[in-house]
Amino acid sequence: MSSNPVAETVASLLPRARTELAELVAFKSVADFAQFPRSESEGAANWIAEALRAEGFVDVDLLDTPDGTQSVYGFLPGPEGAKTVLLYAHYDVQPPLDEAGWATPPFELTERDGRWYGRGSADCKGGVIMHLLALRALKADGGVPVNVKVIVEGSEEQGTGGLERYAEQHPELLRADTIVIGDAGNFRVGLPTVTTTLRGMTMLRVQVDTLAGNLHSGQFGGAAPDALGALVRVLDSLRAEDGSTTVDGLDATARWDGLEYTEEQFRTDAKVLDGVELIGGGSVADRIWARPAVTVLGIDCPPVVGATPSVQAGARALISLRVPPGVDAAEATKLLQAHIEAHTPWGARVTTEQIGQGQAFRADTSSPAYQAMADAMAVAYPGETMSYAGQGGSIPLCNTLAGLYPQAEILLIGLSEPEAQIHAVNESVSPEELERLSVAEALFLTNYAAG
């Protein structure tokens, strides 16, 4: 990284950042209070509130959002007449999954092979630290040239929408000229990337019933309608022969015109087993950023161990549909429900229940904030040019903010590059990425203020 005062300050602050990230990772802040104590999330929220106060933030508050979780808010006044920038991250994390699958304890930040391992290290507690590093570097180099609002969400991973609903009820709170969402990631380590689109999502619970109760498969099998068999047929109808998503009436032909993603790179990033084919048609970028994708998240049926020779009377599945930009998530939900009903065989009774939804997002890349970020990233990543990528995942808050503040420019950056393995075991963050992106964010704030 070319030397400048901001970069030198960030480099000097990195040991402190590691200590702070370790403290934050230690909180088991999974916002599912049936699995993890509420006190763990509250502890993380209080830690962030104290960190903001220590940096001179005023109006620091723990916001009780409608889903029963807390988001942390703070305001740092800038010079008279300065623009206002909102910095976003979230402190809640995914469950650790199989703790035995972790090489080191999931809630203990551990350095290994040049990376820092721990649940939330990249997604998105590292994003909290990134924002703090950028602001500290600016304060050491003459001051923060904009008004800064920080919002750190407490339930992003659960998709329960608490902060979206709170923002809608308090529309002035998060108003800003530009919004930096620190919950995305570079396309690969060392390639500065701004995420310009997010797929939306809808989630359905599907119940299929055929009989008043289970039946002996020898006595009744062959004529008695099997609910599990019917459910399998329904789920299979959601995919074409090549594995691409087929929901009746839902367009699946859109093209991605930004950064290309080679099949070889994708196989490596996704850890696809040798000999197993990728699914779908079109380019990889078309498939994961521009087109719908259905995933069966779970099925309720008898486990293999302990199963009896029975025809099943009922079966249930949880289905996720990722919705590309340009498609309304509510409309996609209706199409998915209609498809399921139309493809349920044998007159079986089927019910669908929607349990989550978020709209897709597309940024305006022609805005001045994008030029300010491109210039900042060129300094933080010498010799590299900022790339535009999509993201298959959803950040429903983006669309809420875009709707509330249509004039605001929204940029998505962050630490969740492919090697970070977010949502999986052995999640990690690259300290070099943390350093570079903190420098980029600090320089962006300077460039944006000057522009």
Side-chain angles (χ1 to χ4, degrees):
M1 198 184 304
S2 59
S3 78
N4 65 51
V6 165
E8 287 166 8
T9 303
V10 170
S12 73
L13 290 171
L14 216 55
R16 177 183 174 187
R18 185 189 186 284
T19 301
E20 290 179 324
L21 184 57
E23 291 173 7
L24 207 42
V25 165
F27 293 106
K28 299 173 181 176
S29 51
V30 179
D32 178 354
F33 304 134
Q35 288 190 75
F36 289 84
R38 182 183 294 273
S39 58
E40 294 286 330
S41 287
E42 289 174 346
N46 281 305
W47 188 100
I48 293 162
E50 285 306 312
L52 294 179
R53 289 187 189 106
E55 294 305 322
F57 277 75
V58 297
D59 302 332
V60 176
D61 199 6
L62 299 179
L63 313 177
D64 292 314
T65 59
D67 62 355
T69 65
Q70 292 180 317
S71 292
V72 188
Y73 171 82
F75 176 67
L76 184 68
E80 184 84 20
K83 296 171 183 170
T84 299
V85 177
L86 175 68
L87 304 179
Y88 167 92
H90 63 86
Y91 69 81
D92 70 305
V93 297
Q94 285 283 342
L97 303 171
D98 174 21
E99 295 207 22
W102 286 74
T104 50
F107 295 104
E108 197 176 294
L109 195 70
T110 309
E111 189 159 355
R112 194 167 74 250
D113 303 324
R115 294 183 69 93
W116 300 343
Y117 285 80
R119 177 55 94 223
S121 55
D123 183 26
C124 183
K125 291 174 175 176
V128 176
I129 302 299
M130 176 182 76
H131 293 326
L132 289 173
L133 273 173
L135 295 173
R136 286 170 183 161
L138 288 173
K139 286 167 74 176
D141 190 39
V144 180
V146 293
N147 299 304
V148 176
K149 293 179 178 180
V150 166
I151 185 74
V152 187
E153 188 174 4
S155 56
E156 192 274 341
E157 299 291 11
Q158 296 298 315
T160 43
L163 184 54
E164 289 110 89
R165 297 205 294 282
Y166 191 94
E168 288 162 357
Q169 293 160 9
H170 304 82
E172 285 308 307
L173 185 73
L174 302 182
R175 186 177 297 280
D177 298 297
T178 279
I179 299 165
V180 179
I181 305 281
D183 190 24
N186 286 343
F187 181 65
R188 57 175 165 75
V189 171
L191 183 68
T193 310
V194 171
T195 298
T196 58
T197 67
L198 298 167
R199 287 192 294 198
M201 57 81 71
T202 185
M203 218 179 290
L204 290 185
R205 203 176 272 137
V206 181
Q207 175 76 41
V208 177
D209 296 294
T210 54
L211 302 163
N214 285 4
L215 298 171
H216 188 294
S217 62
Q219 190 175 2
F220 294 97
D226 169 9
L228 182 53
L231 179 63
V232 168
R233 282 278 180 95
V234 173
L235 300 179
D236 185 56
S237 76
L238 293 166
R239 293 189 187 282
E241 193 66 34
D242 67 357
S244 52
T245 292
T246 52
V247 175
D248 296 343
L250 189 62
D251 179 48
T253 62
R255 299 278 176 167
W256 175 259
D257 60 3
L259 194 68
E260 272 309 305
Y261 201 161
T262 67
E263 291 209 6
E264 183 181 15
Q265 182 65 51
F266 181 82
R267 292 186 71 90
T268 300
D269 292 343
K271 297 181 170 57
V272 180
L273 301 178
D274 287 346
V276 178
E277 300 171 8
L278 301 188
I279 62 171
S283 72
V284 169
D286 292 341
R287 286 174 252 179
I288 63 171
W289 297 334
R291 295 181 180 177
V294 75
T295 307
V296 180
L297 303 181
I299 299 179
D300 283 342
C301 59
V304 171
V305 175
T308 61
S310 302
V311 178
Q312 299 301 313
R316 192 167 71 143
L318 183 62
I319 300 171
S320 155
L321 176 66
R322 298 290 176 167
V323 181
V327 177
D328 177 53
E331 183 59 31
T333 302
K334 290 178 188 166
L335 292 172
L336 179 58
Q337 288 171 319
H339 177 105
I340 288 166
E341 287 163 12
H343 289 267
T344 300
W346 319 321
R349 294 181 185 174
V350 62
T351 56
T352 59
E353 177 192 3
Q354 185 181 31
I355 60 167
Q357 180 180 292
Q359 294 289 357
F361 169 78
R362 179 183 278 123
D364 173 12
T365 57
S366 66
S367 66
Y370 273 79
Q371 188 57 53
M373 184 63 82
D375 293 343
M377 284 184 159
V379 176
Y381 291 83
E384 298 287 351
T385 302
M386 185 174 86
S387 294
Y388 296 152
Q391 188 167 302
S394 309
I395 306 175
L397 182 69
C398 276
N399 243 61
T400 301
L401 297 177
L404 286 172
Y405 319 120
Q407 303 309 312
E409 305 170 65
I410 300 179
L411 300 99
L412 292 102
I413 62 172
L415 300 161
S416 298
E417 37 73 26
E419 289 177 44
Q421 293 193 185
I422 65 168
H423 294 204
V425 298
N426 297 311
E427 178 184 347
S428 67
V429 69
S430 158
E432 287 80 15
E433 291 285 75
L434 175 60
E435 182 179 354
R436 289 172 179 151
L437 284 166
S438 301
V439 171
E441 182 166 281
L443 295 175
F444 161 75
L445 293 173
T446 302
N447 295 346
Y448 184 65

